[in-house]
Amino acid sequence: MIDIRHLSKSFGNHKVLKDINFSVDKGEVVCIIGSSGSGKSTLLRCINLLEKPSGGQIIYNGKDILNNSNDLTNYRTKMGMVFQQFNLFSNLDVLDNCIVAQIKVLNRSKEQAKKIAMEYLEMVGMAQYINARPKQLSGGQKQRVAIARALSMNPDALLFDEPTSALDPEMVGEVLKVMKALANTGLTMLVVTHEMDFARSVADRVVFMDQGFILEEGKPEDIFNNPKEERTKEFLQLTI
Ligand code: ADP
Ligand code: MG
């Protein structure tokens, strides 16, 4: 579905991503792990074009998206994003959070948008909170709304940037449970996470990033039980 070739990103003369090559198949769940500052967020942000890559190609359904400006808006809506800090609209209630972009970007009618939003709010267990404002919700509830909002756009892939890192420990489980259920529906997911148990049990593939490179990737059992690279071993020892 997405094929990333020789992707690089610099901020000024700081090279943050260096020759990233990797692809994601439809229906695949890929977890990206690595130390803080290794470029994981920048990679996700380049993939959905919140950041403009400095070089390389992003091939999506056979087209280089960076050289097809006509397809940019469509591409962006196809790459859903879930952020560490939820990024809900604080002035809108839960339902409006889930319908505003459907109406403005996808030109859906309000009724249609509402129907779709309700379907996903049910899925994440937040349908009874449609009139609540974000500040009335717990972190876990906010993140489940953010997931429903992203799904309401019917993305081809959902990118998660440390979706549980801002949560109190007792709320991590409810969000991971929703993500696991989503993975089982065949949704294509790219998940930056420090939740190694989640990566081990849900990922089809684990990617280890170090200093702007993909140092190693493979099946979870290979990466976790038998890492090839010294840096991967060190990182995993520190996180256990
Ligand atoms: P990670 O998500 O793995 O912790 P990031 O992608 O957030 O890593 O950051 C990688 C490096 O890029 C860090 O050194 C960070 O300071 C730098 N960086 C990220 N975003 C910006 C930005 N907008 N401007 C300048 N430097 C940035
Ligand atoms: Mg990050």
Side-chain angles (χ1 to χ4, degrees), residues 132-213:
R133 293 290 171 106
K135 68 166 187 281
Q136 298 170 296
L137 304 176
S138 72
Q141 291 174 326
K142 280 189 253 202
Q143 197 58 300
R144 286 186 285 140
V145 171
I147 292 170
R149 177 178 64 174
L151 290 169
S152 296
M153 299 297 281
N154 299 116
D156 279 352
L158 207 44
L159 317 181
F160 295 81
D161 193 1
E162 297 197 29
T164 59
S165 295
L167 301 178
D168 291 335
E170 67 269 27
M171 289 164 191
V172 170
E174 68 193 61
V175 172
L176 292 180
K177 193 171 151 210
V178 165
M179 291 171 62
K180 195 166 184 170
L182 279 178
N184 287 333
T185 67
L187 180 70
T188 308
M189 295 165 55
L190 208 48
V191 185
V192 172
T193 188
H194 292 292
E195 295 291 335
M196 296 303 153
D197 291 340
F198 177 85
R200 194 188 272 273
S201 63
V202 179
D204 296 305
R205 189 148 51 93
V206 174
V207 170
F208 175 65
M209 282 189 70
D210 187 47
Q211 298 186 26
F213 288 106

Coordinates of all heavy atoms in Angstrom, one line a residue, residues 132-213:
A132 N -20.5 15.0 25.5 CA -19.5 15.5 26.5 C -18.4 16.3 25.7 O -18.1 16.1 24.5 CB -18.8 14.3 27.1
R133 N -17.8 17.2 26.5 CA -16.6 18.0 26.0 C -15.4 17.2 26.3 O -15.4 16.5 27.4 CB -16.6 19.4 26.6 CG -17.7 20.3 26.2 CD -17.5 20.7 24.7 NE -18.7 21.4 24.3 CZ -18.7 22.8 24.1 NH1 -17.6 23.5 24.3 NH2 -19.8 23.4 23.6
P134 N -14.3 17.3 25.6 CA -13.1 16.6 25.9 C -12.6 16.8 27.3 O -12.2 15.8 27.9 CB -12.1 17.2 24.9 CG -12.9 17.6 23.7 CD -14.2 18.0 24.3
K135 N -12.8 18.0 27.9 CA -12.2 18.2 29.3 C -13.0 17.4 30.3 O -12.5 17.2 31.4 CB -12.2 19.7 29.6 CG -13.5 20.4 29.8 CD -13.2 21.7 30.4 CE -14.5 22.5 30.8 NZ -15.2 23.1 29.6
Q136 N -14.2 16.9 29.9 CA -15.0 16.1 30.9 C -14.6 14.6 30.8 O -15.1 13.8 31.6 CB -16.5 16.2 30.6 CG -17.0 17.6 30.7 CD -18.4 17.8 30.2 OE1 -18.7 17.6 29.0 NE2 -19.3 18.1 31.1
L137 N -13.7 14.3 29.9 CA -13.3 12.9 29.7 C -11.9 12.5 30.3 O -11.1 13.4 30.4 CB -13.3 12.5 28.2 CG -14.5 12.8 27.4 CD1 -14.3 12.6 25.9 CD2 -15.7 12.0 27.9
S138 N -11.7 11.3 30.7 CA -10.4 10.8 31.1 C -9.5 10.7 29.8 O -10.0 10.7 28.7 CB -10.5 9.4 31.7 OG -10.8 8.4 30.7
G139 N -8.2 10.5 30.1 CA -7.3 10.4 29.0 C -7.6 9.2 28.1 O -7.6 9.3 26.8
G140 N -8.0 8.1 28.7 CA -8.3 6.9 27.9 C -9.5 7.1 27.0 O -9.6 6.7 25.9
Q141 N -10.5 7.8 27.6 CA -11.7 8.1 26.9 C -11.4 9.1 25.7 O -11.9 8.9 24.6 CB -12.8 8.7 27.8 CG -13.3 7.7 28.8 CD -14.3 8.3 29.8 OE1 -14.1 9.5 30.2 NE2 -15.3 7.6 30.2
K142 N -10.6 10.1 26.0 CA -10.2 11.0 24.9 C -9.5 10.3 23.8 O -9.8 10.6 22.6 CB -9.3 12.1 25.5 CG -10.0 13.2 26.2 CD -9.1 14.4 26.5 CE -8.8 14.3 28.0 NZ -8.3 15.6 28.6
Q143 N -8.6 9.4 24.1 CA -7.9 8.7 23.1 C -8.8 7.8 22.3 O -8.7 7.7 21.0 CB -6.7 7.9 23.6 CG -5.7 7.5 22.6 CD -5.1 8.7 21.8 OE1 -5.8 9.4 21.1 NE2 -3.8 8.9 21.9
R144 N -9.8 7.2 22.9 CA -10.8 6.4 22.2 C -11.6 7.2 21.2 O -12.0 6.8 20.1 CB -11.6 5.5 23.2 CG -10.8 4.4 23.8 CD -11.6 3.5 24.6 NE -11.9 4.0 25.9 CZ -13.1 3.9 26.5 NH1 -14.1 3.2 25.9 NH2 -13.3 4.4 27.7
V145 N -12.0 8.4 21.7 CA -12.7 9.4 20.8 C -11.8 9.7 19.6 O -12.3 9.8 18.4 CB -13.2 10.6 21.5 CG1 -13.7 11.7 20.6 CG2 -14.2 10.3 22.6
A146 N -10.5 10.0 19.9 CA -9.6 10.4 18.8 C -9.5 9.2 17.8 O -9.4 9.5 16.6 CB -8.2 10.7 19.4
I147 N -9.5 8.0 18.3 CA -9.5 6.9 17.3 C -10.8 6.8 16.5 O -10.7 6.6 15.3 CB -9.2 5.5 18.1 CG1 -7.8 5.6 18.7 CG2 -9.4 4.3 17.2 CD1 -7.5 4.4 19.7
A148 N -11.9 7.0 17.2 CA -13.2 7.0 16.4 C -13.2 8.1 15.4 O -13.7 7.9 14.3 CB -14.4 7.1 17.4
R149 N -12.7 9.3 15.8 CA -12.7 10.4 14.8 C -11.8 10.0 13.6 O -12.3 10.3 12.5 CB -12.1 11.6 15.5 CG -12.0 12.8 14.6 CD -11.4 14.1 15.3 NE -10.1 13.9 15.7 CZ -9.3 14.8 16.3 NH1 -9.9 16.1 16.4 NH2 -8.1 14.6 16.7
A150 N -10.7 9.5 13.8 CA -9.8 9.1 12.7 C -10.5 8.0 11.8 O -10.5 8.1 10.6 CB -8.5 8.6 13.2
L151 N -11.1 7.1 12.5 CA -11.8 6.0 11.7 C -13.0 6.5 10.9 O -13.3 6.0 9.8 CB -12.3 4.9 12.6 CG -11.2 4.0 13.3 CD1 -11.8 3.2 14.4 CD2 -10.5 3.2 12.2
S152 N -13.6 7.6 11.4 CA -14.8 8.1 10.7 C -14.4 8.7 9.3 O -15.3 8.9 8.5 CB -15.4 9.3 11.6 OG -15.9 8.7 12.8
M153 N -13.2 9.0 9.1 CA -12.7 9.4 7.8 C -12.5 8.3 6.8 O -12.0 8.5 5.7 CB -11.5 10.3 7.9 CG -11.6 11.5 8.8 SD -12.8 12.7 8.1 CE -11.8 13.5 6.8
N154 N -12.7 7.0 7.3 CA -12.5 5.8 6.5 C -11.1 5.8 5.9 O -10.9 5.7 4.6 CB -13.5 5.7 5.4 CG -14.9 5.5 6.0 OD1 -15.8 6.4 5.7 ND2 -15.1 4.5 6.7
P155 N -10.0 6.0 6.7 CA -8.7 6.0 6.2 C -8.3 4.6 5.6 O -8.8 3.6 6.0 CB -7.8 6.3 7.4 CG -8.6 5.8 8.6 CD -10.1 6.0 8.2
D156 N -7.3 4.6 4.7 CA -6.7 3.4 4.3 C -5.7 2.8 5.3 O -5.5 1.6 5.4 CB -5.9 3.6 3.0 CG -6.8 3.7 1.8 OD1 -8.0 3.4 1.9 OD2 -6.3 4.0 0.7
A157 N -5.1 3.7 6.1 CA -4.2 3.3 7.1 C -4.3 4.3 8.3 O -4.6 5.4 8.1 CB -2.8 3.3 6.6
L158 N -4.1 3.8 9.5 CA -4.1 4.6 10.6 C -2.7 4.6 11.3 O -2.1 3.6 11.5 CB -5.2 4.1 11.6 CG -5.8 5.0 12.6 CD1 -6.2 6.3 11.9 CD2 -7.0 4.4 13.2
L159 N -2.2 5.8 11.5 CA -0.9 6.0 12.0 C -1.0 6.4 13.5 O -1.7 7.4 13.8 CB -0.1 7.1 11.3 CG -0.1 7.0 9.7 CD1 0.7 8.2 9.1 CD2 0.3 5.7 9.2
F160 N -0.4 5.7 14.4 CA -0.5 6.1 15.8 C 0.9 6.5 16.3 O 1.8 5.7 16.2 CB -0.9 4.8 16.6 CG -2.3 4.3 16.3 CD1 -2.5 3.4 15.2 CD2 -3.3 4.5 17.2 CE1 -3.7 2.9 15.0 CE2 -4.6 4.0 17.0 CZ -4.8 3.2 15.9
D161 N 0.9 7.7 16.9 CA 2.2 8.1 17.5 C 2.2 8.1 19.0 O 1.6 9.0 19.7 CB 2.6 9.6 17.0 CG 4.0 9.9 17.4 OD1 4.7 9.0 17.9 OD2 4.4 11.0 17.1
E162 N 2.7 7.0 19.6 CA 2.7 6.8 21.0 C 1.3 7.1 21.7 O 1.2 7.9 22.5 CB 3.8 7.6 21.7 CG 5.2 7.3 21.2 CD 6.3 7.8 22.2 OE1 6.0 7.9 23.4 OE2 7.4 8.0 21.7
P163 N 0.3 6.4 21.2 CA -1.1 6.7 21.6 C -1.3 6.5 23.1 O -2.3 7.0 23.6 CB -1.9 5.7 20.8 CG -1.0 4.6 20.5 CD 0.3 5.2 20.3
T164 N -0.5 5.7 23.8 CA -0.8 5.5 25.2 C 0.3 6.2 26.1 O 0.2 6.1 27.4 CB -0.8 4.0 25.6 OG1 0.5 3.4 25.2 CG2 -1.9 3.3 24.8
S165 N 1.2 6.9 25.6 CA 2.3 7.5 26.4 C 1.9 8.6 27.3 O 2.5 8.9 28.3 CB 3.4 8.0 25.5 OG 4.0 6.9 24.8
A166 N 0.7 9.3 27.0 CA 0.3 10.4 27.8 C -0.8 9.9 28.8 O -1.3 10.8 29.5 CB -0.3 11.5 27.0
L167 N -1.0 8.6 28.9 CA -2.1 8.1 29.7 C -1.6 7.7 31.1 O -0.5 7.2 31.2 CB -2.8 7.0 29.0 CG -3.4 7.2 27.7 CD1 -4.0 5.9 27.1 CD2 -4.5 8.3 27.7
D168 N -2.5 7.8 32.1 CA -2.2 7.2 33.4 C -2.2 5.7 33.2 O -3.0 5.2 32.3 CB -3.3 7.6 34.4 CG -3.3 9.1 34.8 OD1 -2.2 9.7 34.6 OD2 -4.3 9.6 35.1
P169 N -1.4 5.0 33.9 CA -1.2 3.6 33.7 C -2.5 2.8 33.6 O -2.7 1.9 32.8 CB -0.4 3.1 34.9 CG 0.3 4.3 35.4 CD -0.5 5.5 35.0
E170 N -3.5 3.2 34.5 CA -4.7 2.4 34.5 C -5.6 2.5 33.3 O -6.6 1.8 33.1 CB -5.5 2.7 35.8 CG -6.1 4.1 35.9 CD -5.2 5.1 36.6 OE1 -4.0 4.9 36.5 OE2 -5.8 6.0 37.1
M171 N -5.2 3.5 32.4 CA -6.0 3.7 31.2 C -5.4 3.2 29.9 O -6.0 3.2 28.8 CB -6.3 5.2 31.0 CG -7.2 5.7 32.0 SD -7.2 7.4 32.2 CE -8.2 7.6 33.7
V172 N -4.1 2.7 30.1 CA -3.4 2.2 28.9 C -4.1 1.0 28.3 O -4.3 0.9 27.1 CB -2.0 1.8 29.3 CG1 -1.3 1.1 28.2 CG2 -1.2 3.1 29.7
G173 N -4.6 0.1 29.2 CA -5.2 -1.1 28.7 C -6.4 -1.0 27.8 O -6.6 -1.6 26.8
E174 N -7.3 0.0 28.2 CA -8.5 0.2 27.4 C -8.3 0.7 26.0 O -9.0 0.3 25.1 CB -9.5 1.2 28.1 CG -9.0 2.6 28.2 CD -9.8 3.5 29.2 OE1 -9.9 3.2 30.4 OE2 -10.4 4.5 28.7
V175 N -7.2 1.5 25.9 CA -6.8 2.0 24.5 C -6.2 0.8 23.7 O -6.5 0.6 22.5 CB -5.9 3.2 24.6 CG1 -5.4 3.6 23.3 CG2 -6.8 4.4 25.2
L176 N -5.3 0.1 24.4 CA -4.6 -1.0 23.6 C -5.6 -2.1 23.2 O -5.5 -2.7 22.1 CB -3.5 -1.6 24.5 CG -2.3 -0.8 24.8 CD1 -1.3 -1.5 25.7 CD2 -1.6 -0.3 23.5
K177 N -6.7 -2.2 24.0 CA -7.7 -3.2 23.7 C -8.4 -2.8 22.4 O -8.7 -3.7 21.5 CB -8.7 -3.3 24.9 CG -9.6 -4.5 24.8 CD -10.4 -4.7 26.1 CE -11.7 -5.3 25.9 NZ -12.7 -4.9 26.8
V178 N -8.8 -1.5 22.3 CA -9.4 -1.0 21.1 C -8.5 -1.2 19.9 O -8.9 -1.6 18.8 CB -9.8 0.5 21.3 CG1 -10.1 1.1 20.0 CG2 -11.0 0.6 22.3
M179 N -7.2 -0.9 20.1 CA -6.3 -1.0 19.0 C -6.1 -2.5 18.5 O -6.0 -2.8 17.3 CB -4.9 -0.4 19.4 CG -5.0 1.1 19.5 SD -3.5 1.8 20.2 CE -2.3 1.3 19.0
K180 N -6.1 -3.3 19.5 CA -6.0 -4.8 19.2 C -7.2 -5.2 18.4 O -7.1 -6.0 17.4 CB -5.9 -5.6 20.5 CG -5.4 -7.0 20.3 CD -5.0 -7.5 21.7 CE -4.4 -8.9 21.4 NZ -3.8 -9.5 22.6
A181 N -8.4 -4.8 18.8 CA -9.6 -5.1 18.1 C -9.6 -4.6 16.7 O -10.0 -5.3 15.7 CB -10.8 -4.6 18.8
L182 N -9.1 -3.4 16.5 CA -8.9 -2.8 15.2 C -8.0 -3.6 14.3 O -8.3 -3.8 13.1 CB -8.4 -1.4 15.3 CG -9.3 -0.3 15.6 CD1 -8.6 1.0 15.7 CD2 -10.4 -0.2 14.6
A183 N -6.9 -4.0 14.9 CA -5.9 -4.8 14.1 C -6.6 -6.1 13.6 O -6.3 -6.5 12.5 CB -4.7 -5.1 15.0
N184 N -7.5 -6.6 14.4 CA -8.1 -7.9 14.0 C -9.2 -7.7 12.9 O -9.6 -8.6 12.3 CB -8.8 -8.5 15.3 CG -7.8 -9.2 16.2 OD1 -6.7 -9.6 15.7 ND2 -8.1 -9.2 17.4
T185 N -9.6 -6.4 12.7 CA -10.5 -6.1 11.6 C -9.8 -6.0 10.3 O -10.4 -5.9 9.2 CB -11.3 -4.8 11.8 OG1 -10.4 -3.7 11.6 CG2 -12.0 -4.7 13.1
G186 N -8.5 -6.1 10.3 CA -7.7 -6.0 9.0 C -7.3 -4.6 8.7 O -6.8 -4.4 7.6
L187 N -7.5 -3.6 9.6 CA -7.1 -2.3 9.3 C -5.5 -2.2 9.2 O -4.8 -2.9 10.0 CB -7.5 -1.4 10.5 CG -7.2 0.1 10.4 CD1 -7.9 0.8 9.2 CD2 -7.4 0.8 11.7
T188 N -5.0 -1.4 8.3 CA -3.6 -1.2 8.1 C -3.2 -0.2 9.2 O -3.7 0.9 9.3 CB -3.3 -0.7 6.7 OG1 -3.9 -1.5 5.8 CG2 -1.8 -0.6 6.5
M189 N -2.2 -0.6 10.0 CA -1.8 0.2 11.2 C -0.3 0.3 11.3 O 0.4 -0.6 11.1 CB -2.4 -0.3 12.5 CG -3.9 -0.3 12.5 SD -4.6 -1.4 13.9 CE -3.9 -0.8 15.3
L190 N 0.1 1.6 11.5 CA 1.5 1.9 11.8 C 1.6 2.5 13.1 O 1.0 3.6 13.4 CB 1.9 2.9 10.7 CG 3.4 2.9 10.2 CD1 3.9 1.5 9.9 CD2 3.4 3.8 9.0
V191 N 2.2 1.8 14.1 CA 2.1 2.2 15.5 C 3.5 2.5 16.1 O 4.3 1.5 16.2 CB 1.4 1.1 16.3 CG1 1.2 1.6 17.7 CG2 0.1 0.7 15.7
V192 N 3.8 3.7 16.4 CA 5.0 4.0 17.2 C 4.6 3.8 18.7 O 3.6 4.3 19.2 CB 5.4 5.5 17.0 CG1 6.5 5.8 18.0 CG2 5.9 5.7 15.6
T193 N 5.3 2.9 19.3 CA 5.0 2.5 20.7 C 6.1 2.1 21.6 O 7.1 1.6 21.0 CB 3.9 1.4 20.7 OG1 3.4 1.3 22.0 CG2 4.4 0.1 20.2
H194 N 6.0 2.3 22.9 CA 6.9 1.7 23.8 C 6.3 0.5 24.5 O 6.8 0.0 25.5 CB 7.3 2.8 24.9 CG 8.1 3.9 24.3 ND1 9.4 3.7 23.8 CD2 7.9 5.2 24.1 CE1 9.9 4.8 23.3 NE2 9.0 5.7 23.5
E195 N 5.1 0.2 24.1 CA 4.4 -1.0 24.7 C 4.8 -2.3 24.0 O 4.3 -2.7 23.0 CB 2.8 -0.9 24.5 CG 2.2 0.3 25.3 CD 2.2 0.1 26.8 OE1 2.3 -1.0 27.2 OE2 2.2 1.2 27.5
M196 N 5.9 -2.9 24.6 CA 6.5 -4.0 23.9 C 5.6 -5.2 23.9 O 5.7 -6.0 23.0 CB 7.9 -4.3 24.6 CG 8.9 -3.2 24.5 SD 9.2 -2.8 22.8 CE 9.7 -1.1 23.0
D197 N 4.8 -5.4 24.9 CA 3.9 -6.6 24.9 C 2.9 -6.4 23.8 O 2.5 -7.4 23.1 CB 3.1 -6.7 26.3 CG 4.1 -7.1 27.4 OD1 5.1 -7.6 27.1 OD2 3.7 -6.8 28.5
F198 N 2.4 -5.2 23.6 CA 1.5 -5.0 22.4 C 2.2 -5.3 21.1 O 1.7 -6.0 20.3 CB 1.0 -3.5 22.5 CG 0.1 -3.2 21.3 CD1 -1.3 -3.4 21.4 CD2 0.6 -2.6 20.2 CE1 -2.1 -3.1 20.3 CE2 -0.2 -2.2 19.1 CZ -1.6 -2.5 19.2
A199 N 3.4 -4.7 21.0 CA 4.1 -5.0 19.7 C 4.4 -6.5 19.5 O 4.1 -7.0 18.4 CB 5.5 -4.2 19.8
R200 N 4.7 -7.2 20.6 CA 5.0 -8.6 20.5 C 3.7 -9.4 20.1 O 3.8 -10.3 19.2 CB 5.5 -9.1 21.8 CG 6.1 -10.4 21.9 CD 6.4 -10.8 23.3 NE 7.7 -10.3 23.8 CZ 8.8 -11.1 23.7 NH1 8.8 -12.2 23.0 NH2 9.9 -10.6 24.1
S201 N 2.6 -9.0 20.6 CA 1.4 -9.8 20.4 C 0.6 -9.4 19.2 O -0.2 -10.2 18.7 CB 0.5 -9.9 21.7 OG 0.1 -8.6 22.0
V202 N 0.7 -8.1 18.8 CA -0.3 -7.6 17.8 C 0.5 -7.4 16.4 O -0.1 -7.5 15.4 CB -1.0 -6.4 18.3 CG1 -1.9 -5.8 17.2 CG2 -1.8 -6.6 19.5
A203 N 1.7 -7.0 16.5 CA 2.4 -6.6 15.2 C 2.6 -7.8 14.3 O 2.9 -8.9 14.8 CB 3.7 -5.9 15.6
D204 N 2.5 -7.5 13.0 CA 3.0 -8.5 12.0 C 4.5 -8.3 11.8 O 5.2 -9.2 11.5 CB 2.3 -8.2 10.7 CG 0.8 -8.5 10.8 OD1 0.4 -9.5 11.2 OD2 0.0 -7.5 10.5
R205 N 4.9 -7.0 12.0 CA 6.3 -6.7 11.8 C 6.7 -5.6 12.8 O 5.9 -4.8 13.1 CB 6.5 -6.2 10.4 CG 7.9 -6.0 9.9 CD 7.9 -6.3 8.4 NE 6.9 -5.6 7.6 CZ 7.1 -4.4 7.1 NH1 8.2 -3.8 7.1 NH2 6.1 -3.8 6.4
V206 N 7.9 -5.7 13.2 CA 8.5 -4.7 14.1 C 9.7 -4.0 13.5 O 10.5 -4.7 12.9 CB 8.9 -5.3 15.5 CG1 9.6 -4.2 16.4 CG2 7.7 -5.9 16.2
V207 N 9.7 -2.7 13.5 CA 10.8 -1.9 12.9 C 11.5 -1.2 14.0 O 10.9 -0.5 14.9 CB 10.2 -0.9 11.9 CG1 11.3 0.1 11.5 CG2 9.5 -1.5 10.7
F208 N 12.8 -1.4 14.1 CA 13.6 -0.7 15.1 C 14.4 0.4 14.5 O 15.2 0.3 13.6 CB 14.6 -1.7 15.8 CG 15.6 -1.0 16.8 CD1 15.1 -0.4 17.9 CD2 16.9 -0.9 16.5 CE1 15.9 0.2 18.8 CE2 17.8 -0.3 17.4 CZ 17.3 0.3 18.6
M209 N 14.1 1.6 15.0 CA 14.8 2.8 14.5 C 15.9 3.3 15.4 O 15.7 3.3 16.6 CB 13.8 4.0 14.3 CG 13.0 3.8 13.0 SD 12.0 5.3 12.6 CE 13.3 6.5 12.2
D210 N 17.0 3.7 14.9 CA 18.1 4.2 15.6 C 18.8 5.4 14.9 O 19.2 5.2 13.7 CB 19.1 3.1 15.9 CG 20.2 3.5 16.9 OD1 19.9 4.1 17.9 OD2 21.4 3.3 16.6
Q211 N 18.8 6.6 15.5 CA 19.5 7.7 14.9 C 19.2 8.0 13.4 O 20.0 8.2 12.6 CB 21.0 7.5 15.0 CG 21.4 7.4 16.5 CD 22.9 7.4 16.7 OE1 23.7 7.8 15.8 NE2 23.4 6.8 17.8
G212 N 17.9 7.9 13.1 CA 17.4 8.3 11.8 C 17.4 7.2 10.8 O 17.1 7.5 9.6
F213 N 17.9 6.0 11.2 CA 17.9 4.9 10.3 C 16.9 3.8 10.8 O 16.7 3.7 12.0 CB 19.3 4.2 10.2 CG 20.3 5.0 9.5 CD1 21.3 5.7 10.3 CD2 20.3 5.1 8.2 CE1 22.3 6.4 9.6 CE2 21.3 5.8 7.5 CZ 22.3 6.5 8.2

